[in-house]
Amino acid sequence: MGTEVDGKDEVIKATRQRIKEGADLIKIMATGGVLTKGNHPGAVHFNVDELKCICQEAAKASLTTAAHAIGLNGVKNAIKAGVNTIEHGYYLDKETVDTMRDLGIYLTPTLLAPTLLQKNSEHIPQHMIDKIEEIEKEHRKSFRLALERGVKIIAGTDAGTPFNNPGQLVEELKIMLEEGMTTAQAIESATYLGAKCLKVDSLIGSLEEQKLADLIVVKGNPLEDIRNLKNIQHVFKGGVRLYPDQIH
């Protein structure tokens, strides 16, 4: 899925290759990460000119761009380059979140991923734990700042990281509520705003005429208790009920 590249010519070629292969979104590793040994999360991986080339090539194909960005300098570079979403955003400041708000750049905070690492620290390599302990104290602070300043926030779990299996989106929403989101905002972040960010809101993300009837029916009111979203009674895809009859 990924390609190591250096310089503007290489990033252009790699982006075009991903598009040729059928990618419907281009993700950029704008900074280092937590999982890779010897890789500092705040390290900047591309300069602004390289990032701009990637975003421009994606835009030509009407694709969105997502930047994995933990450190503040990497976040700022990605914003200057024109990305559509910032993934993680552990380090944010007022100027940065105000710019994201004004430009309509989305934030996917993935609050669950570091929480699961910390909860399962006895099973996690020490180099991951060391990095999480260094940066996590800023993570929720940055989320609260983005929420307060009106940045559009969408729900994602960063599934695939240790102990972070698919199906835990409600756990992400619960953390968002703990950090100040309203229940309605959290649900919207996982439905309409996510669809709008990915430019598929004309088809999915809300219950409206002429849209695909992709929806779940749950027992209980999720506005009263977000955990009711896990009490799934029926799943509809394109108006056809798939659960409990066809999903096992």
Side-chain angles (χ1 to χ4, degrees), residues 178-225:
E178 292 171 6
E179 298 302 323
M181 257 194 178
T182 67
T183 306
Q185 284 176 318
I187 294 173
E188 185 180 55
S189 77
T191 53
Y192 175 70
L193 278 184
K196 188 173 179 62
C197 171
L198 294 172
K199 300 178 182 179
V200 291
D201 53 302
S202 63
L203 298 175
I204 60 174
S206 58
L207 300 178
E208 299 178 66
E209 289 186 19
Q210 305 303 317
K211 289 190 177 184
L212 295 176
D214 290 359
L215 57 102
I216 60 173
V217 178
V218 302
K219 184 178 181 180
N221 186 350
L223 290 174
E224 296 175 355
D225 187 341

Side-chain angles (χ1 to χ4, degrees), residues 76-108:
K76 289 182 175 181
N77 287 348
I79 291 171
K80 291 175 183 177
V83 299
N84 300 107
T85 70
I86 297 294
E87 310 298 311
H88 318 307
Y90 279 62
Y91 290 94
L92 301 173
D93 60 17
K94 182 177 177 295
E95 177 188 3
T96 301
V97 296
D98 284 353
T99 302
M100 291 177 65
R101 178 198 62 210
D102 295 344
L103 294 178
I105 298 172
Y106 293 77
L107 171 67
T108 317

Side-chain angles (χ1 to χ4, degrees), residues 66-244:
H68 161 101
I70 291 180
L72 182 59
N73 288 335
V75 172
K76 289 182 175 181
N77 287 348
I79 291 171
K80 291 175 183 177
V83 299
N84 300 107
T85 70
I86 297 294
E87 310 298 311
H88 318 307
Y90 279 62
Y91 290 94
L92 301 173
D93 60 17
K94 182 177 177 295
E95 177 188 3
T96 301
V97 296
D98 284 353
T99 302
M100 291 177 65
R101 178 198 62 210
D102 295 344
L103 294 178
I105 298 172
Y106 293 77
L107 171 67
T108 317
T110 64
L111 298 166
L112 180 64
T115 301
L116 291 174
L117 286 176
Q118 291 175 317
K119 284 184 177 180
N120 297 278
S121 59
E122 68 274 18
H123 304 295
I124 303 296
Q126 190 59 44
H127 71 87
M128 296 185 191
I129 298 302
D130 291 342
K131 284 187 277 188
I132 283 295
E133 290 177 348
E134 177 185 347
I135 64 178
E136 173 58 10
K137 61 185 178 181
E138 297 295 329
H139 193 192
R140 297 195 184 201
K141 178 181 175 182
S142 292
F143 171 82
R144 292 192 297 270
L145 179 62
L147 179 64
E148 174 190 327
R149 303 297 297 180
V151 174
K152 290 185 280 190
I153 297 174
I154 54 179
T157 65
D158 206 21
T161 54
F163 297 94
N164 194 354
N165 300 317
Q168 299 190 80
L169 184 61
V170 174
E171 304 307 314
E172 176 76 17
L173 301 185
K174 285 167 61 179
I175 300 175
M176 288 180 168
L177 296 186
E178 292 171 6
E179 298 302 323
M181 257 194 178
T182 67
T183 306
Q185 284 176 318
I187 294 173
E188 185 180 55
S189 77
T191 53
Y192 175 70
L193 278 184
K196 188 173 179 62
C197 171
L198 294 172
K199 300 178 182 179
V200 291
D201 53 302
S202 63
L203 298 175
I204 60 174
S206 58
L207 300 178
E208 299 178 66
E209 289 186 19
Q210 305 303 317
K211 289 190 177 184
L212 295 176
D214 290 359
L215 57 102
I216 60 173
V217 178
V218 302
K219 184 178 181 180
N221 186 350
L223 290 174
E224 296 175 355
D225 187 341
I226 197 75
R227 292 174 295 182
N228 285 328
L229 287 174
K230 301 177 77 171
N231 299 328
I232 296 174
Q233 305 297 300
H234 303 284
V235 175
F236 290 86
K237 175 69 174 174
V240 177
R241 190 175 72 167
L242 300 180
Y243 178 86

Side-chain angles (χ1 to χ4, degrees), residues 31-60:
T31 72
V34 172
L35 303 185
T36 305
K37 190 173 184 179
N39 191 340
H40 192 276
V44 173
H45 278 193
F46 292 101
N47 61 38
V48 176
D49 287 342
E50 291 169 324
L51 293 172
K52 280 183 178 179
C53 288
I54 299 171
C55 294
Q56 288 168 356
E57 291 302 315
K60 291 176 186 177

